Amino acid sequence: MRVPYWNIDYGFLIDILAIPALAVFLSGLYGHYRKIRKGSERLKTRSDKLPWKFGPVFVRSVLTKGILGTVIYRKFYTGLAHGSVFWGMLVLGLGTTLAFANLIAKVPVFSGSFNRWFMAFGLDLAGVCVLAGLLFFLLRRLFPPDRLVTPRERSGFFPMACLLAVILVTGFLIEGMRIRASAPELGSFVGNFVAGLIPGSDHITSYHRYLWWFHGLLALAFVVYIPYSPMVHMVLAPINTALADPRPGPKMGVIDFSRFDDESGEEMPSMGVAKLADFSRKRLLDFDTCLWCGRCHEVCPAAQTQQPLSPKMVMATLAGFLSANDFTDDSLADAIGVDALFNCTTCAACMEACPVSINQPKAIMKLRQNLAMERSELPELMSKAYNSLEQRRHPFFGTGSGPKDWQKGIDVPIFAPGQTEYLLWVGCAATYDERAQKVARAMVKILSAAGVSFGILSKPRCTGDPAKQIGNEFLFTEIAQENIAEFDELGIQKIITLCPHCFNSFTRHYPELGGHYEVIPHSVLIGELIAARRLVPEKSDESICLHDPCYLARRNHIEDPPRLALEAVGRLVEMPRSKRESFCCGGGGGNYWSESSGVRINQVRAKEALDTNTDVIATACPFCLLMLTDGAKKYTEDQKVFDIAELIAARLNLN
Amino acid sequence: MKIAVLAKVVPDYEVPAGDFELAGNRAHARYTRMIGLYDENAIETGIQLKEKYGATLGIVSYGQSEDVPILRKAIAMGGDSLHLVLGESDDPYVIASNLKIALEQLQDVDLVLAGQQSADLDRGVVHGVLAEMLGCTFLAQISRIESDQGRWTVCQNHESGSRMLQFSGKAVLSITSSPENVPRIPAVRAIMAAKKKPVEKLQGTDAPPMQVEEVKVEIPKLESVCEFLPFEDMQETSRMLLARLREERYL
Ligand code: SF4
Ligand code: SF4
């Protein structure tokens, strides 16, 4: 039977020292809490009842993303190394707790097969796993991938990993010395091996004693230093995942502008965010939790095309203000760069890739809202789109099309209250852009062929989504409220959208303004109509690759229905980045109206699609259609990009 | 310093030619209404003068009550007050006489700014007539204005260059667009505040119109003629395209 604190006098002192160490540790954590509490809003809890949700805590998320770290394993080797360190440390921590339990309550952990298989073998194995994982991380810090060092690297991981490695190595040495001075121990395969390497000496027990204290004190130092180092992510990451609403996308919500009407208040709240104190507590927790791992940087379409934006840079800059306790400096947007903030396409690829559930686009959009609404600072083309939206209620300034041009030569019913089932919401792109108009025409053909009861508004409207993406929530709210009033008047309950941005606005933002509808994206409806055999398109051997619009696949998890529709007319081929990992077309976040220079996102994506060598590139969003059509022009003169509706309509035999 | 900017609410000036239609010799009522293009440049110029010299800025318009929500944009941009003379005439003399009522009400206006021409009728006459009525200097196509010890220095833009001019006393200036006077986007708080600002509505006068009769209004019919150029040698095709465009007087 193993003797606890073998060869150590007053070993319990290390347990006593653990008390102040724990106090410093907790005080460090309290420091984080105090900073986060300076945020402008408390955590908003969703009122709807969800399974696995208790108060503000999303239990399933904390178990999967927070503790199991499921997202980390998307990078296999990093995931494996992280898993080895995390689970290894957990087992070692348990071992230490059991040893303490043995000391104070004589829990028999050092005898029998439990000692052999857990306290000896199990803990040695855990130690080896942790060391192997640490070795991986240390090597990776020495030879870092681009994402770790761009735009800058977080200091603090390397020394903490070294410290932990020293603790582990000294732990094995102590074990080896104990075994060398006593007898080999069943199960302690590392200890026995190390013991074999240690030369015999009269001083071995003295060395053991010194090293034991050194090891113990180092371990306490490690614990003390956790809240003051990047290792605090061990605590913050599970909390952040627990509090992050697991619905996909940034969940921008709407702004109640009546708050700004009361000018008698001492301090007017800011529209959007100008200074750190304007951010909600959850956002501050995001900045504090960020690991600077750069996974977001790696998938960000803006960062990958050498534009000034990098979501990691945004997080790192804001974390800098947070750690400096600088809550009043209103130059956050300038510190990040106004151009960078407008580069964001709101594609949410960063959120999807983030291992600790950080909502980067929301922080970016909040800063953008302030630029748009308080500082009236917009890039030139976006400001033209904004002006057009404000004056004409559509953003397609300079369009050569009238509102009814797309209907020329076809019969399009107008929504009749009490008679028509679906409102076909055409949206601004399919109304005012000549190329996208073909999508609306194709959809009319499809709906008529399937015998769906549908009608359009007599006067075209825009959801206001471009205003929201540009950052002007006020204009969005105005437009949305006008639409809701008209829908109420017409008794509209069901809406078919041609554009995923409209779908997203109707389902995510309109309900918060009082507009509740059953909304279905056209690609989903087409899939359903085919499944119900209300549409029987002709199948061909044409190969088709699908570009998943961010606002369908990533932001609303609609991935399979468009594929089902396409499989009815051709042979589907997947792009390397598809479904939730789709790469943006570059048109989101108002960037359809942007002057990009250098490498262009739409060209990168079009190239990826063309490289599949399929006959056709399909998509299900008019903005993606326009961006990819434009992007593909760099590589081919052939018209290869089509909307799902166009592909299906072309294969309908209407005789 | 007191500045007044004349702003006119017009039908959407960007309606595509193919979609444009007349009703009663004027743009169809279905088009969205907005402040004229050059008038916004004039408002922006006025705001910049207000910011630079601490002037007060009145926005003066001639039109109907329905124009008020649209004109509030000028207040949101930075105007101090809004004065609307009610009336419906298209006659430049009638319009100028009515605008004069509001300007006299404002008292001691040093400078009247107006877009170089309205975005609907494109005449560019009202400000000249108004200057005549007010008995003050009139300068057209102005892009920059500075004030120094009671004298104004202005930059007059021409197609092929510019002229710096100086004068003192009151003036009416027609403003052209330039990179310096791109209209600002009003901040949301300013839009909200502008909605609450009282508007001075003045009864218009029945001034005698000019002795001119509108006989007929026509808009060009949009015709598209498609011509294919042979494409064997890109340079040759470009040359041909250039020659054809010149021939048809597009260039
Ligand atoms: S935001 Fe997430 S993905 Fe990006 S650097 Fe921070 S932790 Fe990594
Ligand atoms: S939402 Fe898209 S564009 Fe914006 S920061 Fe994230 S990855 Fe980049």
Side-chain angles (χ1 to χ4, degrees):
Chain A
M1 193 167 93
R2 213 178 108 183
V3 181
Y5 295 143
W6 176 87
N7 186 37
I8 307 295
D9 298 332
Y10 307 110
F12 63 90
L13 279 180
I14 207 86
D15 299 308
I16 291 175
L17 277 175
I19 297 169
L22 205 64
V24 182
F25 170 82
L26 289 175
S27 127
L29 285 187
Y30 183 64
H32 285 269
Y33 171 71
R34 274 183 38 195
K35 277 187 195 167
I36 288 161
R37 244 186 36 182
K38 290 188 187 165
S40 66
E41 291 168 49
R42 296 170 66 92
L43 198 74
K44 277 199 212 113
T45 27
R46 276 171 68 188
S47 53
D48 46 343
K49 291 225 173 343
L50 289 176
W52 294 85
K53 176 175 171 277
F54 297 98
V57 175
F58 294 93
V59 178
R60 191 197 295 266
S61 306
V62 74
L63 290 178
T64 53
K65 292 184 186 168
I67 298 185
L68 290 175
T70 44
V71 183
I72 302 175
Y73 293 94
R74 289 193 193 153
K75 288 200 181 292
F76 180 71
Y77 293 110
T78 313
L80 197 65
H82 188 273
S84 304
V85 175
F86 176 75
W87 293 108
M89 285 304 290
L90 219 61
V91 171
L92 290 174
L94 183 64
T96 313
T97 315
L98 288 175
F100 183 64
N102 171 274
L103 182 79
I104 59 164
K106 298 275 177 284
V107 180
V109 295
F110 288 127
S111 57
S113 52
F114 185 79
N115 181 44
R116 176 175 174 181
W117 291 114
F118 184 78
M119 298 304 282
F121 180 79
L123 296 193
D124 272 15
L125 184 64
V128 170
C129 288
V130 175
L131 262 183
L134 286 174
L135 189 67
F136 173 89
F137 285 128
L138 288 171
L139 284 173
R140 211 187 41 168
R141 289 280 156 182
L142 290 174
F143 308 100
D146 187 50
R147 67 182 167 88
L148 277 186
V149 288
T150 311
R152 58 183 190 270
E153 190 177 7
R154 184 165 189 182
S155 57
F157 271 114
F158 192 79
M160 282 302 267
C162 288
L163 181 60
L164 197 55
V166 173
I167 293 168
L168 262 294
V169 170
T170 51
F172 280 133
L173 281 175
I174 296 164
E175 189 187 24
M177 286 179 183
R178 176 170 48 79
I179 292 172
R180 183 76 177 81
S182 47
E185 210 169 80
L186 282 177
S188 298
F189 65 99
V190 183
N192 292 337
F193 173 73
V194 175
L197 300 178
I198 297 173
S201 157
D202 293 345
H203 304 295
I204 200 154
T205 50
S206 312
Y207 293 151
H208 171 268
R209 207 174 303 127
Y210 296 138
L211 203 59
W212 190 94
W213 281 107
F214 180 65
H215 168 84
L217 291 172
L218 269 192
L220 289 183
F222 179 81
V223 172
V224 163
Y225 199 52
I226 286 174
Y228 309 95
S229 77
M231 287 296 170
V232 71
H233 79 272
M234 286 161 36
V235 181
L236 297 182
I239 298 176
N240 203 44
T241 48
L243 301 178
D245 184 341
R247 279 180 307 170
K251 298 161 284 280
M252 288 305 297
V254 294
I255 295 180
D256 172 13
F257 283 93
S258 62
R259 283 198 304 149
F260 302 97
D261 263 345
D262 176 20
E263 285 159 25
S264 57
E266 285 213 339
E267 202 187 329
M268 283 293 275
S270 141
M271 288 184 187
V273 162
K275 54 189 184 302
L276 213 54
D278 300 333
F279 273 117
S280 69
R281 294 179 183 180
K282 176 63 179 65
R283 291 291 78 69
L284 298 185
L285 179 60
D286 275 355
F287 312 150
D288 210 14
T289 308
C290 177
L291 312 159
W292 302 23
C293 70
R295 290 188 187 210
C296 53
H297 176 89
E298 211 171 41
V299 295
C300 172
Q304 291 312 303
T305 48
Q306 288 77 51
Q307 290 170 47
L309 173 67
S310 154
K312 173 186 165 185
M313 173 273 286
V314 173
M315 289 300 115
T317 309
L318 295 170
F321 279 88
L322 185 68
S323 62
N325 232 326
D326 192 350
F327 281 81
T328 51
D329 185 343
D330 61 3
S331 66
L332 298 188
D334 303 293
I336 290 165
V338 172
D339 285 353
L341 291 171
F342 282 108
N343 282 154
C344 178
T345 67
T346 65
C347 71
C350 47
M351 286 187 77
E352 186 68 26
C354 180
V356 290
S357 300
I358 284 171
N359 191 339
Q360 309 89 332
K362 192 161 186 175
I364 293 171
M365 286 305 294
K366 285 280 163 194
L367 289 159
R368 193 191 276 194
Q369 283 174 359
N370 191 264
L371 290 173
M373 292 194 287
E374 299 256 31
R375 285 169 52 171
S376 299
E377 254 182 85
L378 293 178
E380 197 184 329
L381 286 185
M382 265 191 215
S383 70
K384 286 189 175 166
Y386 165 82
N387 274 331
S388 182
L389 252 175
E390 195 243 332
Q391 294 172 321
R392 307 182 179 90
R393 294 303 193 237
H394 74 76
F396 281 80
F397 61 92
T399 173
S401 297
K404 292 199 171 140
D405 282 4
W406 71 271
Q407 300 167 33
K408 272 183 193 151
I410 54 168
D411 226 4
V412 189
I414 300 291
F415 187 93
Q419 292 167 35
T420 314
E421 185 181 0
Y422 283 103
L423 168 72
L424 173 61
W425 176 264
V426 184
C428 56
T431 303
Y432 293 104
D433 183 275
E434 227 179 311
R435 172 67 190 91
Q437 285 169 357
K438 292 183 182 156
V439 181
R441 294 168 69 87
M443 197 58 197
V444 168
K445 184 176 170 189
I446 287 172
L447 295 175
S448 308
V452 175
S453 160
F454 76 99
I456 59 165
L457 293 178
S458 53
K459 195 167 174 251
R461 286 177 166 278
C462 167
T463 44
D465 187 74
K468 192 173 182 90
Q469 303 309 326
I470 286 172
N472 198 309
E473 281 285 329
F474 184 73
L475 182 57
F476 165 74
T477 310
E478 255 186 14
I479 296 176
Q481 281 167 343
E482 289 164 13
N483 289 338
I484 291 170
E486 180 162 354
F487 290 179
D488 285 351
E489 210 170 287
L490 294 171
I492 287 166
Q493 287 167 355
K494 294 182 178 181
I495 304 174
I496 303 164
T497 54
L498 295 182
C499 171
H501 297 263
C502 298
F503 170 75
N504 193 70
S505 252
F506 282 141
T507 51
R508 297 291 185 91
H509 311 308
Y510 275 52
E512 294 185 51
L513 296 168
H516 300 271
Y517 316 103
E518 202 181 293
V519 192
I520 185 162
H522 75 312
S523 54
V524 177
L525 180 65
I526 294 173
E528 284 178 7
L529 292 172
I530 292 174
R533 298 202 57 76
R534 287 172 68 182
L535 285 177
V536 191
E538 246 173 67
K539 174 120 180 156
S540 75
D541 58 2
E542 201 171 46
S543 55
I544 309 171
C545 77
L546 172 68
H547 161 77
D548 287 277
C550 305
Y551 274 65
L552 271 194
R554 193 156 36 237
R555 297 193 42 153
N556 285 291
H557 288 180
I558 296 172
E559 299 167 333
D560 294 333
R563 287 177 166 74
L564 291 177
L566 288 174
E567 273 161 1
V569 290
R571 185 171 48 82
L572 198 67
V573 175
E574 292 293 353
M575 276 199 254
R577 292 179 283 188
S578 64
K579 300 190 174 174
R580 278 171 219 187
E581 276 156 31
S582 176
F583 190 71
C584 180
C585 70
N591 277 284
Y592 177 75
W593 298 278
S594 75
E595 317 85 292
S596 54
S597 51
V599 191
R600 290 169 55 192
I601 300 171
N602 59 341
Q603 291 172 347
V604 173
R605 185 56 170 169
K607 175 84 171 54
E608 187 174 336
L610 289 168
D611 283 348
T612 58
N613 286 322
T614 46
D615 302 312
V616 168
I617 299 163
T619 188
C621 165
F623 286 97
C624 296
L625 177 76
L626 298 175
M627 293 300 287
L628 294 180
T629 302
D630 180 56
K633 280 185 193 150
K634 184 176 175 194
Y635 308 101
T636 174
E637 284 175 10
D638 298 342
Q639 153 110 11
K640 287 194 121 190
V641 189
F642 295 93
D643 186 89
I644 285 188
E646 293 178 283
L647 296 174
I648 304 292
R651 301 217 163 268
L652 287 180
N653 194 344
L654 298 182
N655 296 326
Chain B
M1 188 186 293
K2 218 177 220 180
I3 297 171
V5 181
L6 310 181
K8 182 177 181 188
V9 175
V10 294
D12 188 351
Y13 42 79
E14 262 190 19
V15 173
D19 187 44
F20 191 75
E21 58 175 318
L22 294 173
N25 278 354
R26 292 291 175 267
H28 196 284
R30 71 180 163 92
Y31 303 119
T32 317
R33 291 174 66 77
M34 53 194 68
I35 297 179
L37 195 59
Y38 289 112
D39 290 354
E40 286 203 2
N41 295 122
I43 297 166
E44 176 61 37
T45 309
I47 298 163
Q48 288 176 15
L49 290 174
K50 170 183 161 176
E51 288 168 350
K52 196 164 173 191
Y53 302 113
T56 56
L57 184 65
I59 310 294
V60 176
S61 187
Y62 170 73
Q64 296 152 41
S65 289
E66 297 86 84
D67 294 344
V68 169
I70 300 157
L71 288 166
R72 286 193 192 279
K73 182 179 180 188
I75 299 295
M77 285 171 75
D80 295 312
S81 56
L82 181 56
H83 314 268
L84 175 70
V85 190
L86 296 165
E88 289 184 354
S89 176
D90 268 338
D91 182 277
Y93 193 84
V94 178
I95 299 173
S97 313
N98 279 284
L99 291 170
K100 187 167 164 260
I101 298 177
L103 292 169
E104 280 168 356
Q105 186 108 347
L106 270 172
Q107 290 176 357
D108 297 328
V109 175
D110 298 289
L111 214 53
V112 178
L113 310 179
Q116 69 173 45
Q117 67 212 52
S118 64
D120 52 351
L121 296 172
D122 277 343
R123 288 180 303 210
V125 243
V126 171
H127 18 49
V129 178
L130 179 65
E132 179 67 24
M133 285 179 179
L134 295 171
C136 60
T137 313
F138 171 65
L139 290 170
Q141 306 265 91
I142 301 302
S143 65
R144 255 179 299 134
I145 305 168
E146 269 164 35
S147 162
D148 189 22
Q149 292 169 355
R151 277 182 80 72
W152 297 100
T153 307
V154 297
C155 177
Q156 189 172 50
N157 275 16
H158 292 263
E159 231 175 70
S160 48
S162 63
R163 283 202 305 165
M164 295 299 281
L165 302 167
Q166 278 196 335
F167 65 92
S168 46
K170 300 184 187 233
V172 176
L173 306 178
S174 94
I175 304 295
T176 190
S177 65
S178 73
E180 290 87 35
N181 65 14
V182 175
R184 68 190 60 193
I185 293 175
V188 168
R189 269 184 228 280
I191 297 175
M192 293 169 81
K195 285 189 176 168
K196 295 182 197 155
K197 251 220 159 113
V199 180
E200 187 185 29
K201 285 188 192 166
L202 302 163
Q203 271 317 314
T205 154
D206 290 330
M210 284 179 166
Q211 292 307 302
V212 180
E213 217 175 297
E214 189 174 271
V215 184
K216 199 167 149 199
V217 177
E218 264 185 305
I219 48 170
K221 285 216 171 58
L222 189 73
E223 276 178 26
S224 53
V225 185
C226 200
E227 184 180 327
F228 289 94
L229 298 179
F231 189 82
E232 269 139 34
D233 172 10
M234 172 107 90
Q235 273 191 353
E236 184 52 30
T237 313
S238 317
R239 257 194 293 277
M240 283 168 75
L241 176 64
L242 207 60
R244 287 292 293 120
L245 289 174
R246 286 212 176 102
E247 238 167 71
E248 297 292 335
R249 310 189 71 84
Y250 288 111
L251 295 179

